[in-house]
Amino acid sequence: MLFGSIISSPRGNLSLQQALNLANLYLKNAEKSTDYDICLVLCHDVEVSLSQVKKTIRKIEDEAMRERIAHVYIEVGRLLDRLDHSSEAQAFYKKSLKFGDYLNSISSPGPLKRSDSVNSELSSSPPKPVDIVAVSKDLFASNVRPPTIVFIPPEPDSRLNDTRQLACCLGLLQSPIELSDILDSSARVWLQDTVNDHDERERLKSLATDVIRAFKRDEFKDAKAVTEVVYLAPVLEKDDFRYLLKEFYSGIDQSWLLDVHQLEGLAHLIQDADTGYLDADDLIKILELLSIRFRDIHQQSTGHLYQLIVAVSQVLDAMADASVSGLDREKIHEPLSLYLNELKESPDAYLVYQAAYAYQALMCVPDDEALWQATLRRSGKAIQGVSGLVSAVKGLDLNGFIEGLGKIQEGLAGATKIVKAVKSEYDGAMSLGESGQGFFECLKEDLSFNRKCAWYTALRGADALILDGQFAEFKEFVYEAPCLRDAAFQWGICQRLGEVAASPLWDEATRHSAIALLVEIYQNDAVWGHHTTVKQWIMNILMQLSSLSGDDIQFVESQLQRLQKDGDATKQMLYERCRENGPGSYPLKVGLPEIGSPSLLDRVQERPDVEGSLRQLRRQRLRERENFVYIPPQAKSSLQALDDERFPLMEKVEEFLDSDQKVFLLVGDSGSGKSSFSSELECHLWREYKKNGVIPLRINLPAISKPEQDMIAKQLRKAEFTEPQIRELKMHRKFVLICDGYDESQQTHNLYISNRLNQPGEWCAKMVISCRSEHLGPDYKDRFQPGDRNNRSESGLFQEAVITPFSMDQVQDYITQYVSVHRPLWEADEYKNALDHIPSLKELVRNPFLMSLSLEVLPRMVDPGQDLSTTHITRMALYDQFIEHWFERCKKRLGERNLGPQARAAFESLIDEGFTWNGIDYLKKLCTAIYREQGGQPIVTYSRYKDENTWKAEFFSREEEIQILREACPLVRNGNQHQFIHRSLLEYGLALAIFDPQDLKRRLAQGSTLSRRRSIDSIISFDGYNTMDDISAIADQGIEPSLDSPLAWRRFVNELSVIQFLEERLKQEPMFKRLLFDYIERSKEDKKWRIAASNAITILVGAGVQFNNADLRGIQIPHADLSYGMFDSAHLQGADLRHVDLRGAWLRKANLGDTQMTGVQFGELPFLKHESQVSLCAYSSDGKTFAVGLDDGMIKVYSTSDWWTLWTLEGHRDRVTNMVFSPDNDRIASCSSDHSVRLWDVRTGRCIHTLNGYDDPFKSVAYSPQGDQIASASNEAIKVWDVESGECRDIWIGHSRSVLGVIYSPRGGQVASRSEDSTVRIWDVEAGRCRHILEGHKDSVTSLAYSPQGDQLASASASYDDALRLWDVATGECLHNLTWHSCILFVSYSPNGNQIASTGSDGSIQLWDTYRGACLHILQGHTDWVRTAAYSPQGDMIVSASDDRTLRLWDSTTGVCRQTLLGHSSEVLNVVISPRGDQVASSSNGTTVRLWDVGAGTSRYISSGHFDTVLGVNCSPRGDNVATCSSDTTVRLWDVETGECRQVLRGHSGAVTSVVYAPQGYQIATGGCDGAVRLWDVGTGACVLILEGHGEMITTIAYSPRGDRLASGGDNTVWIWDIKTGDCSYTLTGHSDMVLSIAYAPQGDHVVSASIDTMVRVWDVRTGDCRRILIGHNVPVTSVVYSPRGDQIISGGNDGDMKLWDTESGDCLGTLTGHSSGLNRIVYSPRGDLITSVSSGDSVRLWDSTSGQCRAAIRDFLDHVKDIAWVESSGVQYLVAGCEDGVVGAWQVLLDGDRCDISLKWMTTKGVLDVKDATIQGAQGLNQLYEKLLKQRGAVGEPSHRLLEASKKVATMASVVSKLKTPSSEVDSINLTANASVEQLEQWLEQAKGTLYQDIVAAIVKSINGYK
């Protein structure tokens, strides 16, 4: 009855109680209903009933009534939850809260399927609202900043790699300020330069326009082409954008079948459009088109429909963002709604969801979505095309997602505003969730396609947050969204999370958070509900992620395993079914499609397609290797490596290819398998080849004509590649060249250098080159190794391997024959044994003379049973033994001869006194006399009647003893002329006369006869004596300095051979060193010892003796050679250093105060520094002026007297290409790339004329000898200009290609021109016509020169077969065609015209006879292209400039290199020599011009020590030696006191990374990159044991305190070795990366290790267990050490910090900071009071071990310090350091309280002048140029400029003037006297009429005043 009355009454008239009763009635019927749909309707009726009395309900105060109403809402919510309508349930729960909180005890109900009974058991309460705090904090813990923009900036005017790079460039230029903070350094530099480069900006814009036009012309417009233009769309100009938009529209409109690719492209264009680029009419028109096309094709396949709907959704989203309104409902809105509505019947849930999404987008088109409009539109159109950040909007990558990093100009307001906006939308419209139906069901009802839903708006907000990386707000927003439990919302969120997880552009934490949130949605039913379709979608996403390649697979699989056991049996069954079915048909697409090959940009840039030809070559090579038997060869690292140190060759080559090395030399005997391996290597690389990868190319060198030039192109032509393809490969691809048969091609070139591999604009390639071992010479590496032999850093680019052990067959054959012929004391095996074991002997026997000499004397030099490895043989030792053996053999021969009575008596007398001793004494005296009496002239002419009373009679008279000694001496006689059998014996004899160690020994053996001199040790050292008393006795007697010694009366500075003999003697004889120091000391008091002192210090410096901190005050050593000497902190005050050679000397902190430095030589002058790069330089013909042309168009003019700047000539706007002085030196003509020639007045600096006339840059300009004309060249024409008027006199046209250069003949009647057309033309100046066309060259003419006489012309060409031609100027006939095996770059005639010097690309200079055409000399020494060369004015010297960064001075007569000038840091491009020949100016690829003093003599610099990075330093326990190891594969032992290298240990096949002495000092252990630990006997230098086991390089080793064990580390393990057995006791594992440092505890029970993994581990060596892990570093730990007491550990890392640890507790006691870069090593001083740390960047620091205070810092290094070690010797502490440049140095450290004094003890030299902090205060005679040089290099103080010296110059010059023949009027008016004052001189200068007088007086004034 109640029910009927209620039904009959209108609902609006019901009372509150009646409404409540009606609601309960509907609720009870809904609970009882078995029909799913009826149940939903009844639930809806409950809400309708209560809504009728809303006003009454709001005012009710009865608590019981409020509770009853809340109960109804809760019960309905529970029922809806069971019906899988969670969003509607949440709405009812929310309404119940208005009447009271009754939700605390409510639990989640189980899902109710459609087939379930509605009245099945329901749980008592709905889920609680989500607590966001309870969500895992690890999920999206923070926001993520988009990745920094990183791209490779293109060079100006260079070709771009791809369209992405172009898009990035344009984007950066459009938003330079906004984007600067997210750019890397290279991009910022590029942006700054290009913003100011208008031409480059326009070029890039034009390229973009051209790409769009190419797209229009493209016939197919496939996905790759669409992708390419989509990259450009965000950065296009408006016109180009609309042009592209129109093209997409037309393509869609006109295509028969809808082009989905163009549709996707159109969608992206709309999304990326900038403000103003689109209007509403555009979008409406586009949507109208899409609506029509959708109608035509929507019934196609599901996959096609899905892609179409996604694309339409993108367009609709863009329209919604653009707030487009006013759509025609009949034509657009309703039809499109209808098509989408029809799709709800599809059984494919994915398709239904996407259709619903598109519909919701359509619903939003007329609405205002202003909150995220700016965010989603991407107004930052800047860099969309760069980083590939997934847009995350609607799901999938449709072959066109822009790879870009959106620069959002206005940040999102935050999650709170978005949530409020979504709630507003939710409250204002009825959502699908409010209908009370489930997701799948609601999609099939009209309601879902007729109403606007909150979940779409929420997803758009989520998109905005994801795009900006605001993941923390995204998480908060998702959990707070009112549609949280809406299945459509969850579907969209999962889709976005999957795309974030699949994108590699998000960091790992973000990706893992996305995956974890997916798992959370799947598992947490209480929050997210039981939507089966959502869980299936999550499983689909996770399975797709697990199938993608990447680092997250393991994490995804672990999450899937978690889900396998999640939930009840029904849920687990769902999991299994999903796993069985696999991922769905809609994959996550986050990657970008590839751009086509060739791409549109390639076509625009005319890039040919090469991949097809490469594939054809690949197939051909692989077919050739089919059915080919191949055995992988073994190899060793070098010819010197032991045979048992073998490795798989292929593995070694693969390591080489992965490294930075450039050349791999493969050596082997004939038939060893070099060619077979080369073929296999090529095929191996072809098998692994990927598109655009490195190209393997095998070249059979004998089959290539002239492979020293462009061999790659020649090989590609043989493979039928076209010239455009070859150019493409050269400019844009990398190669592995496999060059086979170097020896068979009879090559001598360095193919790497001659082909200019890896030079700018040249081929980029690595080279594997094979050669037979017998083809290699002593310096074979010069023919293979990249770079200059003097540049040791380049040695790291070279590697070699020998396929089989290098045979000694050739050496053995020689020894066998020698033994057979000469029957020496040794057998062949003994010789071979000696050659194998005696250090340095193999180097000596390369010399032919020393080879025969060595085989003759070796049996006498080595005692039976002597350890050969300890025998050190020098050149002096060989001569000692040779001379002794010579005299003993002569004694035997004379004894067997029938001598007359008097002769026999004389012979017996000589024997009694010691025949050998008398013979050597005769030799010494004769050599001394030759030098004293005839200046070292080796031939002595003796006439008995003429010379009987001269010095010659003492040696050549007829006295019996003299005749016997002369006959026994190694002399040869030709008539009356006598000379030594070899010049070197004369020099050796003089050196022996200066110091003979036997003179000392004879004092102990007084009167005894030396029948046989002692062994090698006896000869060259004191070791032959039995006791130290013998040595002391000799030292006590000493050898007093004598003025009769050759040292005292002849300067030997330029007698290099004599000096070298004495230097070798000095290194072995301490007494000789003591004698030389005595000479120097005596010079302090008496001038008569000056010559001896000069010779003495020259010998000492040459022998490597260092004078650091030495007291040299007052020494007198004029003319001494101190070049490359070490004088750190030396005291030289008051020293006489006049005319001393100080080239390359180390004078840092030296005191040169008050020294006499007149005539001192530094070998160079102050450099000239400019703002722009130097293009060329030139001297005036009188040498007074020097001009420098610069790339910025300026010309600097200097006075060469003082090198002050006279003028800066400004006018050219671009690079100065040529420049020449007029014959009278008053003017300069210059031409430039700015298309002009300018004529300058040198006297005023004014531009007289600007000569224009070409559209192309001028390349050359020349002055006529008369000075009235200028000839200039550009294009194909030559113009002749009048100097006075600037008018063009004539134009000569004839060349078919560009003219490269013009020169006038010496008399000026002709002009010769050279051209790219391969011809030379000779023009008649007066007639203005071409007289001769000189043809014959096959390539561009690179250089042209007239002979001084003008009768001959020399031309050089880039072609090899006709490199140099000499022409008869009168007839035009070719006199000589001088072929050379390289390109000739430059030619020059000698001053007398008899010789031509040509420079080549093979690094040589050729000297030719101009009349015979014969090659006189080949000057070899440069290791790279020789760019140019110049003769000295006298013609006796040639200076050459090379790409190897050096200059060389050559003797033009002998071809000998006089000097090598070091200092340039790049290729030397220009060199000129002054007209006087005393200076050389050179410029490289930089802004400086270096000035060299070439009159300083011949360089004797020899690099000492390591030639590559020093990696380890360790000192012996006794403190007498230091061991260093280096990248040069050697270990060197140094004397701590002297710095002398005592021993070199060789055996490692790679860099030696660590070296350490055993505690007892008898053994050294080394570890290297070859993975082996070697143990060496310190006494013999022999390797006694090799420990192998590490799989990688060994980085660190350490002995135990007792020396019985050794620890080594390198990979992520530490190995403990038993030294006696060589067995590994333990392998300590635990580190996850390479171990960098290890140290034993002083007690020997623990080892500490440091690793790249940032951990420090302490190990128990007795058990191998890790006892403690010290955690505190955040960077790799590079060094670790125990304190001397073992109570502390110090560790240092790459951040420069050191941490102190307590060994017992493991606590960090403190951190020492101060270094600005990573630490290389930490060590304690021997006494434990200092901690020393070395940084890779700044210095070595000494810290107080108690206070932690930094006591001192050492910065006296030329390069970074790599390792350090302490040593205490004779009570003094030394710190030894090894540097990156190979230098090793020792510093003495003195501690006095708080004071710490550090001074350099010794250092190996590098040959660089260093005067930093040197004092030159009061130095006398130092000219202003050298003063400027020293101050440029860091010297301090002011030298003395004394007026007295200037007045002497005035007097001298005045006397010269008085003798000049001048007009009497001038003599009378200008009366110069020696006593003239400065004022008088200046007055006379003003009065002077003659130019000569002006010059002289000006020079006098300048010498006094010191100004310009």
Side-chain angles (χ1 to χ4, degrees), residues 1688-1758:
Q1688 289 182 357
I1689 294 173
I1690 302 181
S1691 59
N1694 268 349
D1695 56 1
D1697 292 346
M1698 293 184 292
K1699 292 186 178 294
L1700 281 69
W1701 310 86
D1702 185 278
T1703 55
E1704 290 295 327
S1705 64
D1707 295 335
C1708 181
L1709 304 177
T1711 302
L1712 303 181
T1713 61
H1715 286 289
S1716 61
S1717 56
L1719 294 175
N1720 290 335
R1721 186 70 67 203
I1722 305 171
V1723 295
Y1724 270 92
S1725 63
R1727 302 170 189 172
D1729 51 350
L1730 291 177
I1731 302 170
T1732 309
S1733 58
V1734 54
S1735 166
S1736 58
D1738 49 6
S1739 64
V1740 173
R1741 290 175 178 263
L1742 278 64
W1743 312 78
D1744 189 289
S1745 62
T1746 303
S1747 65
Q1749 179 183 0
C1750 182
R1751 299 284 297 274
I1754 307 175
R1755 305 180 188 272
D1756 296 342
F1757 305 102
L1758 292 176

Side-chain angles (χ1 to χ4, degrees), residues 1131-1414:
H1131 300 280
L1132 287 157
Q1133 301 96 308
D1136 184 354
L1137 303 181
R1138 291 174 298 168
H1139 306 286
V1140 168
D1141 188 349
L1142 289 172
R1143 283 177 298 166
W1146 181 281
L1147 292 162
R1148 184 175 290 193
K1149 300 180 183 178
N1151 193 330
L1152 298 169
D1154 299 320
T1155 54
Q1156 298 182 46
M1157 302 187 74
T1158 304
V1160 70
Q1161 294 292 332
F1162 293 101
E1164 53 186 305
L1165 300 176
F1167 55 75
L1168 308 177
K1169 181 71 174 177
H1170 305 94
E1171 296 297 325
S1172 179
Q1173 183 166 311
V1174 177
S1175 57
L1176 70 162
C1177 50
Y1179 278 97
S1180 61
S1181 60
D1182 59 6
K1184 296 180 180 179
T1185 313
F1186 182 77
V1188 179
L1190 304 175
D1191 275 6
D1192 62 3
M1194 289 195 292
I1195 299 173
K1196 292 279 189 177
V1197 183
Y1198 298 89
S1199 169
T1200 58
S1201 61
D1202 50 18
W1203 293 99
W1204 282 87
T1205 303
L1206 295 177
W1207 307 105
T1208 299
L1209 310 182
E1210 299 184 74
H1212 285 300
R1213 300 186 305 277
D1214 207 339
R1215 182 175 185 267
V1216 179
T1217 56
N1218 202 359
M1219 177 179 62
V1220 62
F1221 278 91
S1222 63
D1224 61 4
N1225 301 307
D1226 289 340
R1227 296 181 178 182
I1228 291 176
S1230 63
C1231 63
S1232 166
S1233 297
D1234 65 0
H1235 307 176
S1236 71
V1237 174
R1238 289 180 179 263
L1239 191 63
W1240 311 86
D1241 189 314
V1242 176
R1243 295 166 298 183
T1244 64
R1246 185 172 60 89
C1247 179
I1248 302 173
H1249 298 296
T1250 300
L1251 314 177
N1252 298 311
Y1254 291 123
D1255 294 333
D1256 284 350
F1258 284 91
K1259 294 184 174 66
S1260 180
V1261 66
Y1263 244 111
S1264 67
Q1266 294 76 24
D1268 59 339
Q1269 288 181 355
I1270 291 175
S1272 62
S1274 181
N1275 278 342
E1276 297 86 14
I1278 300 164
K1279 283 194 174 184
V1280 180
W1281 311 82
D1282 184 276
V1283 170
E1284 294 301 325
S1285 66
E1287 299 291 333
C1288 179
R1289 287 187 178 182
D1290 209 345
I1291 301 177
W1292 302 332
I1293 300 176
H1295 286 290
S1296 62
R1297 296 184 66 184
S1298 181
V1299 181
L1300 300 176
V1302 291
I1303 56 172
Y1304 275 91
S1305 63
R1307 296 183 180 180
Q1310 296 175 349
V1311 168
S1313 60
R1314 59 185 177 89
S1315 168
E1316 289 181 349
D1317 63 9
S1318 306
T1319 67
V1320 175
R1321 288 177 177 255
I1322 299 178
W1323 307 84
D1324 188 299
V1325 174
E1326 184 175 353
R1329 64 181 179 86
C1330 179
R1331 292 183 56 185
H1332 299 292
I1333 301 176
L1334 311 182
E1335 298 178 310
H1337 288 298
K1338 298 179 181 178
D1339 207 334
S1340 299
V1341 183
T1342 57
S1343 185
L1344 196 62
Y1346 267 104
S1347 65
Q1349 297 77 19
D1351 59 338
Q1352 200 177 78
L1353 191 67
S1355 62
S1357 170
S1359 59
Y1360 286 16
D1361 51 352
D1362 59 339
L1364 178 61
R1365 288 175 177 261
L1366 305 184
W1367 311 86
D1368 186 292
V1369 171
T1371 65
E1373 177 188 357
C1374 180
L1375 301 175
H1376 301 289
N1377 182 12
L1378 311 177
T1379 59
W1380 191 247
H1381 51 251
S1382 70
C1383 171
I1384 299 295
L1385 304 175
F1386 185 82
V1387 293
S1388 177
Y1389 276 91
S1390 63
N1392 60 14
N1394 296 331
Q1395 194 180 83
I1396 286 178
S1398 63
T1399 68
S1401 59
D1402 63 347
S1404 68
I1405 301 101
Q1406 308 85 37
L1407 304 185
W1408 308 87
D1409 186 291
T1410 56
Y1411 296 102
R1412 296 184 292 112

Side-chain angles (χ1 to χ4, degrees), residues 606-634:
E606 299 180 353
R607 178 182 293 182
D609 183 18
V610 296
E611 287 298 329
S613 298
L614 288 174
R615 287 193 295 271
Q616 183 177 353
L617 178 61
R618 177 179 180 271
R619 287 192 296 268
Q620 175 187 342
R621 293 302 199 200
L622 293 177
R623 280 197 303 267
E624 292 173 355
R625 289 293 290 176
E626 290 177 358
N627 302 320
F628 195 93
V629 178
Y630 172 73
I631 306 297
Q634 295 287 305

Side-chain angles (χ1 to χ4, degrees), residues 825 856-857 859-861 879-896 907 910-911 914-920 964-965 967-970 998 1009-1015 1019:
L825 298 176
E856 184 173 350
V857 303
R860 300 178 56 83
M861 296 181 69
Y879 277 85
D880 283 339
Q881 282 292 347
F882 176 76
I883 289 298
E884 177 194 342
H885 182 56
W886 181 280
F887 280 110
E888 290 188 355
R889 189 171 55 187
C890 289
K891 180 182 69 172
K892 180 179 180 181
R893 186 181 68 251
L894 290 171
E896 297 172 350
F907 178 64
L910 290 172
I911 291 177
F915 185 86
T916 299
W917 178 84
N918 280 295
I920 292 176
I964 290 173
L965 291 174
E967 187 174 345
C969 195
Q998 296 302 314
T1009 302
L1010 295 177
S1011 60
R1012 180 186 184 276
R1013 300 184 105 191
R1014 299 183 185 268
S1015 67
I1019 296 171

Side-chain angles (χ1 to χ4, degrees), residues 302-327:
T302 301
H304 195 183
L305 281 174
Y306 181 79
Q307 289 189 348
L308 176 62
I309 297 172
V310 172
V312 171
S313 300
Q314 288 181 310
V315 176
L316 291 171
D317 278 345
M319 297 180 72
D321 295 339
S323 300
V324 175
S325 60
L327 294 181

Side-chain angles (χ1 to χ4, degrees), residues 872-997:
H872 183 70
I873 294 181
T874 64
R875 189 173 65 136
M876 194 73 167
L878 288 174
Y879 277 85
D880 283 339
Q881 282 292 347
F882 176 76
I883 289 298
E884 177 194 342
H885 182 56
W886 181 280
F887 280 110
E888 290 188 355
R889 189 171 55 187
C890 289
K891 180 182 69 172
K892 180 179 180 181
R893 186 181 68 251
L894 290 171
E896 297 172 350
R897 186 189 301 178
N898 291 326
L899 301 175
Q902 293 181 343
R904 173 61 63 181
F907 178 64
E908 295 293 342
S909 175
L910 290 172
I911 291 177
D912 291 341
E913 297 174 1
F915 185 86
T916 299
W917 178 84
N918 280 295
I920 292 176
D921 188 62
Y922 174 89
L923 172 73
K924 293 190 295 184
K925 290 178 178 178
L926 174 59
C927 294
T928 301
I930 291 175
Y931 270 90
R932 180 189 283 273
E933 302 297 338
Q934 53 186 46
Q937 209 287 328
I939 300 176
V940 180
T941 302
Y942 176 75
S943 172
R944 192 180 73 173
Y945 300 104
K946 181 180 179 181
D947 300 315
E948 187 174 5
N949 295 320
T950 66
W951 65 273
K952 299 177 183 179
E954 182 182 354
F955 305 99
F956 302 102
S957 68
R958 293 188 174 182
E959 294 183 14
E960 281 75 9
E961 283 193 5
I962 293 177
Q963 288 191 41
I964 290 173
L965 291 174
R966 183 180 67 244
E967 187 174 345
C969 195
L971 296 168
V972 293
R973 177 178 177 179
N974 184 12
N976 64 346
Q977 292 183 333
H978 306 264
Q979 68 182 95
F980 284 95
I981 61 175
H982 196 273
R983 165 81 187 191
S984 61
L985 289 173
L986 171 63
E987 296 159 342
Y988 163 77
L990 183 67
L992 198 62
I994 292 174
F995 184 84
D996 184 357

